[in-house]
Amino acid sequence: MKVPVSWLSEYVDIDMSLDDLAHRLTMSGNEVEGIERTGWIDNVVVGHVLDVAPHPDADRLRLVTVDYGDGHAEVVCGAPNVAKGQKIAYASIGAVLQDAYAEEHGKTRKLKRSKIRGVVSDGMVCSVRELGIGDEHDGILILPNDLTIGTPIGEVLGESVLDIELTPNRPDCLGVVGVARDVSAITGKPLKHPRIDFEATGPDVHTLASVEIADPDLCLRYTASVIQGVKIGPSPRWLQDRLTAIGERPINNLVDITNFVMFELGQPLHAFDYDKVIDHKIIVRRATDGERLTTLDGKERKLDDEMLLITDPERGIGLAGVMGGANSEISDSTTTVILESATFHGVNNRITAKSLELGSQATLRFEKSLRSGLSEIGLRRATRLILEIAGGEAASGIIDVYPGKGKEQESVRLDQSQILRVLGVEFENKQIERTLGNLGFELVADSDGWDVRIPYWRPDISIPEDLIEEIARIVGYDNIPTTTLGGRPPQWQPQPEMDLRMRVTDALVQAGMRETISYSATTGEGESRVMLPEETASALKLRNPISADFTVMRRTLREAILSTVARNSRTWRGPIAVFEAGRVFLDFGEGLPDERQMVVGAFAGPRNELHWDASTDQSDFYDAKGAVEAVLDDLGISLTFESADDATFASGRTAVIKVTSANHTIIGTVGEVAGDVLSRFDAEVESVAMFELDLAAVLKVLRDSKSDDSGKFEEFVRLPASHRDLSLIVDTGVTVGQIVEISNRNRIVTSATVFDLFEGKGVPEGKKAVAIRLVYQSPNKTLTADQIGKIEQQILNQLSKEVGAVLRTQ
């Protein structure tokens, strides 16, 4: 929000430096990002035109003699409106002015002495554009005659503008009066309210026009006035200067007044040409689906049935709170106007503007859910200014259709004890009443506190804490004494879900993988590429997606990780090892969606960086399997892998991850991505190995386990270890994971590693040979060969019993 200091000063006296004012406003919650100063140009002063003579060699140029206080100068000027006796802005050699002919806005040039058609020009008589205070360049700027010759132009035209970064909850400060109210409360200076009274001498307004609200849920209040006999024309200089200072382009007096009041009070308004509104009747209703309206920018808009439309009995004439219709706009021939000031539903207004890509200053205010009381104030203020500037006669009374009357919160209860509880400090009642009173609140006191009436300009006030914040920011956070914490500090509360996620991500990073983060929303078409099972829960659709690429909440991380692999594979030929931990959203049709924490990782490309001493093998199933084993080993979970089918993965190269100690609970999947799935991502790699872990299932396993030895210190065993290799014959359906898990059950076995698999000559049909190395080590004694033999026989017996394993004899 840009706030010119001269405009601000009309409502409150400012007796401090601008830097101090900016600091005080920032500390009160309205951050001043900067102070822009315009019109302050060195070597530009007020000049007096002594004489105007024709140029000897150019019909359109004239020689202007200027008295600039310290002497006279002759200037070559082409402006048609220069005349003897005028006070003008004279720029001497060396002045840096805006380049009026440059295509790039804001480009400057340094004024040099030059010869124009044979005559030397010692300076320039400036236009508004050259001074950087407007866009007009048809003629020079003519100054008031009472100015002193030689006065620096900054003292005449200079303006300082506060650039305030407002928080979304302060729509009242989207008007200069709102900022002035804060300055008044901070400094103690009285606020000067703009006048809203006007003389209404015309016929009863209800005999001239009428308003009907067909959809009161989207329009809480609609006020209107009728002014007859207006004269459309340029706005007076002061009004144009006000709008120009905040970056708005003056259009005509009527439009400029509605814009001025919006920036003054924060209430958007719109003016309709009375004679273009059929039957002089305004109807506020939802548009019909597919209805069309050509807006003021000349574009035809296709509307839907949730957009609020301003219509007459036959057609739409404006998009409520967003933009007016071209068929009812003010023109030079307009003589009677219907002035609208309404309160529209904030969320609906924002959705409409966003859907049509029609953001405006009006929408910026309406989307903050303005209170309905502001609409009448804005209407009366604008009506008064129209009568002053455009002339005419106002109809008696105003139209006020108010279906939302009594539905807004009127007051908030504030107890002294609440202030102490929130701020930790007590204030005297007089200070509280003075602070809130200066902000426009009305207070009714009792023995415990106050009933505080909410002003019509503060939609952000609804609970006691809002009022306490007002007290704190105006008194000044720096003025609240520092105190030590009282009472008992809060105890640490375990967060197992977050802790587990951190442990898993740390383990994957230690395994050499890189973490990625993707959007939580996607599209149904994009997600279908990974071929989720039919029993997967429904997708959760977004009502107002930020773009067409994010229409549903994701149900899997597989799509995101494969997209990341594909994108990297197009520019990177080295190893790709990435993972993502995040939530997926499953809608089971009842209540809130299930937000489930998942981890998905992928390996692609070569296993190692290019090096003379490294293999050139490609990443495969075992890379993904190894990452899973590293994570679960860190968590102290013993696991097995069992062959399974999953449409995302290649047949025969997929396994589910089970925890045998937890009733064979499935906690994830690992495998190589199916070729037809990978082809849908345009990845430039031959294969991708991927794993998926359900962290909720992992956490349940950890909680249900009787003991969790993960992270506990284990003393280093100094006694020697022994290893023996076994070659076993088992059915082809037996997994090596089963063999390893059975072998590891014996506490003397510290490691069981499969190092060879064989099927073929010498092995019976339907069987395979598995070579496994077992490492034996006791923490208490050195094992003898007989002791190791007995333990080995126990393991063989268990393997024979559970999976039918026998020792290979040849």
Side-chain angles (χ1 to χ4, degrees):
M1 175 68 181
K2 295 185 181 297
V3 181
V5 175
S6 62
W7 193 355
L8 184 66
S9 300
E10 291 186 7
Y11 311 113
V12 61
D13 294 331
I14 300 173
D15 57 1
M16 63 180 71
S17 70
L18 289 185
D19 289 334
D20 287 344
L21 176 63
H23 175 73
R24 295 285 295 276
L25 281 171
T26 299
M27 295 307 295
S28 70
N30 292 322
E31 181 183 0
V32 179
E33 289 192 324
I35 303 175
E36 301 174 7
R37 291 178 169 86
T38 60
W40 297 85
I41 308 174
D42 293 337
N43 299 327
V44 181
V45 298
V46 175
H48 180 235
V49 178
L50 299 176
D51 187 39
V52 178
H55 191 287
D57 194 29
D59 294 339
R60 295 186 178 182
L61 299 178
R62 285 179 283 183
L63 306 181
V64 180
T65 303
V66 178
D67 177 3
Y68 56 88
D70 293 332
H72 297 173
E74 186 176 64
V75 176
V76 178
C77 179
N81 63 332
V82 65
K84 181 178 179 180
Q86 293 173 336
K87 294 288 179 65
I88 48 85
Y90 167 72
S92 58
I93 304 304
V96 178
L97 304 173
Q98 298 289 316
D99 189 342
Y101 299 98
E103 294 182 1
E104 181 183 350
H105 180 72
K107 186 176 182 180
T108 61
R109 65 186 181 93
K110 189 173 183 179
L111 190 61
K112 299 178 181 179
R113 181 176 286 104
S114 59
K115 184 179 289 188
I116 302 175
R117 301 294 291 270
V119 178
V120 174
S121 181
D122 285 320
M124 176 182 287
V125 180
C126 301
S127 68
V128 167
R129 186 184 298 180
E130 287 152 345
L131 293 173
I133 59 174
D135 293 326
E136 293 182 15
H137 188 55
D138 295 335
I140 61 167
L141 172 64
I142 301 173
L143 301 173
N145 278 324
D146 58 351
L147 296 178
T148 302
I149 299 171
T151 302
I153 200 66
E155 297 182 14
V156 179
L157 301 177
E159 178 67 277
S160 296
V161 180
L162 302 176
D163 188 0
I164 302 178
E165 180 67 26
L166 297 175
T167 53
N169 67 319
R170 291 300 305 278
D172 59 305
C173 287
L174 287 170
V176 179
V177 171
V179 178
R181 187 176 288 107
D182 267 20
V183 174
S184 171
I186 293 168
T187 63
K189 301 289 184 180
L191 180 69
K192 306 168 190 175
H193 295 275
R195 293 185 61 181
I196 62 172
D197 59 302
F198 62 90
E199 186 177 359
T201 58
D204 187 335
V205 69
H206 296 93
T207 65
L208 300 176
S210 62
V211 172
E212 175 189 336
I213 299 179
D215 290 295
D217 58 320
L218 299 184
C219 181
L220 278 71
R221 189 178 189 182
Y222 194 103
T223 65
S225 63
V226 177
I227 304 100
Q228 299 173 302
V230 299
K231 185 177 181 180
I232 306 301
S235 297
R237 170 60 59 184
W238 70 266
L239 180 52
Q240 293 188 39
D241 289 345
R242 286 281 177 259
L243 296 177
T244 301
I246 58 175
E248 293 293 314
R249 181 175 62 89
I251 298 174
N252 60 50
N253 50 9
L254 210 67
V255 175
D256 292 349
I257 288 169
T258 59
N259 286 334
F260 174 85
V261 173
M262 178 174 66
F263 284 101
E264 180 185 48
L265 297 176
Q267 171 64 42
L269 303 102
H270 185 71
F272 300 98
D273 188 320
Y274 178 84
D275 294 323
K276 295 177 182 178
V277 178
I278 296 173
D279 294 340
H280 313 309
K281 180 176 182 178
I282 288 176
I283 303 170
V284 186
R285 62 166 173 84
R286 282 180 168 87
T288 57
D289 200 23
E291 189 170 357
R292 296 181 181 273
L293 173 71
T294 301
T295 47
L296 287 173
D297 57 3
K299 295 181 180 180
E300 186 180 64
R301 312 281 179 176
K302 184 179 180 181
L303 313 179
D304 62 43
D305 55 8
E306 283 302 317
M307 296 178 179
L308 192 63
L309 195 62
I310 307 298
T311 74
D312 59 25
E314 296 184 7
R315 67 213 170 135
I317 58 174
L319 202 55
V322 180
M323 186 176 287
N327 55 9
S328 61
E329 71 175 315
I330 301 299
S331 65
D332 292 343
S333 61
T334 298
T335 58
T336 303
V337 298
I338 300 176
L339 184 62
E340 165 198 281
S341 181
T343 307
F344 300 117
H345 190 278
V347 174
N348 177 267
N349 185 268
R350 176 177 172 80
I351 292 172
T352 298
K354 195 170 184 64
S355 298
L356 298 175
E357 298 181 352
L358 257 180
S360 65
Q361 288 290 339
T363 296
L364 178 65
R365 288 157 175 80
F366 277 126
E367 69 184 17
K368 305 293 192 299
S369 298
L370 301 179
R371 288 178 68 86
S372 57
L374 183 60
S375 59
E376 181 181 351
I377 303 299
L379 179 77
R380 293 185 179 278
R381 174 62 172 163
T383 303
R384 175 186 174 86
L385 291 175
I386 290 173
L387 295 175
E388 289 181 358
I389 296 171
E393 181 182 55
S396 298
I398 64 171
I399 297 173
D400 188 358
V401 183
Y402 199 172
K405 189 172 185 178
K407 296 181 180 180
E408 295 174 315
Q409 183 179 347
E410 297 295 333
S411 64
V412 175
R413 175 67 189 177
L414 177 63
D415 291 332
Q416 179 69 264
S417 60
Q418 291 173 310
I419 301 174
L420 177 61
R421 177 179 58 83
V422 174
L423 298 181
V425 63
E426 289 187 281
F427 295 103
E428 293 184 359
N429 287 1
K430 288 184 179 180
Q431 185 177 14
I432 294 170
E433 292 169 359
R434 182 174 63 253
T435 301
L436 294 178
N438 287 343
L439 288 170
F441 294 93
E442 297 178 9
L443 293 85
V444 178
D446 56 36
S447 58
D448 296 323
W450 303 266
D451 288 319
V452 184
R453 185 173 181 81
I454 303 172
Y456 63 80
W457 58 84
R458 293 301 299 269
D460 58 309
I461 303 297
S462 60
I463 58 176
E465 285 75 11
D466 293 332
L467 295 173
I468 295 170
E469 180 186 8
E470 295 297 295
I471 296 169
R473 71 182 186 85
I474 297 301
V475 170
Y477 293 107
D478 290 344
N479 296 323
I480 297 177
T482 301
T483 59
T484 57
L485 286 174
R488 185 177 180 180
Q491 292 184 337
W492 172 82
Q493 296 293 328
Q495 296 179 300
E497 294 87 356
M498 182 179 294
D499 292 342
L500 175 61
R501 174 171 169 166
M502 292 300 296
R503 288 186 63 181
V504 170
T505 56
D506 286 347
L508 291 173
V509 170
Q510 289 173 6
M513 302 187 74
R514 295 178 182 270
E515 184 175 8
T516 66
I517 299 175
S518 63
Y519 289 106
S520 297
T522 181
T523 62
E525 296 77 10
E527 205 171 55
S528 66
R529 293 182 294 174
V530 297
M531 299 179 67
L532 291 174
E534 293 183 1
E535 63 270 17
T536 304
S538 301
L540 186 67
K541 295 182 180 180
L542 296 177
R543 181 174 296 175
N544 184 30
I546 60 175
S547 81
D549 296 326
F550 306 107
T551 57
V552 298
M553 299 302 290
R554 65 188 179 192
R555 294 178 290 170
T556 179
L557 296 179
R558 296 179 182 182
E559 180 205 357
I561 208 71
L562 288 176
S563 295
T564 300
V565 169
R567 188 163 50 250
N568 280 274
S569 70
R570 300 182 199 116
T571 57
W572 172 251
R573 294 296 179 260
I576 297 175
V578 293
F579 74 94
E580 179 172 359
R583 296 182 186 275
V584 298
F585 302 84
L586 306 175
D587 184 10
F588 292 101
E590 295 182 2
L592 295 174
D594 180 11
E595 297 185 25
R596 192 170 298 174
Q597 283 278 5
M598 305 291 287
V599 173
V600 172
F603 294 83
R607 181 171 288 137
N608 302 301
E609 295 277 6
L610 182 64
H611 190 267
W612 67 270
D613 194 33
S615 71
T616 57
D617 294 343
Q618 297 292 303
S619 300
D620 59 18
F621 173 89
Y622 293 100
D623 293 280
K625 176 176 176 289
V628 171
E629 290 173 330
V631 169
L632 297 182
D633 181 65
D634 181 72
L635 297 174
I637 297 176
S638 299
L639 69 154
T640 60
F641 298 90
E642 290 189 10
S643 179
D645 291 324
D646 189 309
T648 303
F649 298 95
S651 178
R653 305 290 290 174
T654 310
V656 291
I657 306 165
K658 288 186 174 182
V659 181
T660 52
S661 61
N663 297 321
H664 297 276
T665 299
I666 297 176
I667 61 173
T669 308
V670 62
E672 292 184 6
V673 177
D676 58 335
V677 172
L678 189 58
S679 65
R680 299 171 186 173
F681 290 86
D682 297 324
E684 296 184 8
V685 289
E686 293 182 2
S687 64
V688 175
M690 185 167 67
F691 66 84
E692 179 180 65
L693 286 175
D694 184 343
L695 292 189
V698 174
L699 183 61
K700 186 177 186 304
V701 168
L702 292 175
R703 284 173 169 168
D704 292 345
S705 62
K706 294 182 179 179
S707 63
D708 180 12
D709 295 330
S710 62
K712 292 184 179 180
F713 172 73
E714 294 184 3
E715 185 178 358
F716 177 75
V717 179
R718 298 179 180 274
L719 298 172
S722 299
H723 73 266
R724 292 190 180 184
D725 296 339
L726 299 177
S727 182
L728 306 172
I729 300 295
V730 296
D731 293 338
T732 55
V734 176
T735 66
V736 295
Q738 290 174 284
I739 297 172
V740 169
E741 190 271 330
I742 294 170
S743 302
N744 276 326
R745 291 178 191 173
N746 193 298
R747 62 185 183 86
I748 299 300
V749 176
T750 60
S751 173
T753 305
V754 174
F755 63 88
D756 189 35
L757 291 172
F758 178 72
E759 293 182 58
K761 186 177 180 181
V763 178
E765 187 176 350
K767 303 285 186 177
K768 63 182 176 182
V770 179
I772 181 170
R773 173 166 293 180
L774 303 180
V775 179
Y776 305 91
Q777 187 178 37
S778 170
N780 304 316
K781 61 182 179 180
T782 300
L783 297 173
T784 65
D786 290 341
Q787 291 171 329
I788 293 174
K790 291 179 180 179
I791 296 171
E792 183 177 285
Q793 189 58 51
Q794 292 173 0
I795 294 173
L796 287 172
N797 291 340
Q798 196 64 32
L799 287 169
S800 175
K801 179 180 178 181
E802 294 193 26
V803 296
V806 297
L807 275 174
R808 183 180 182 185
T809 57
Q810 60 178 6

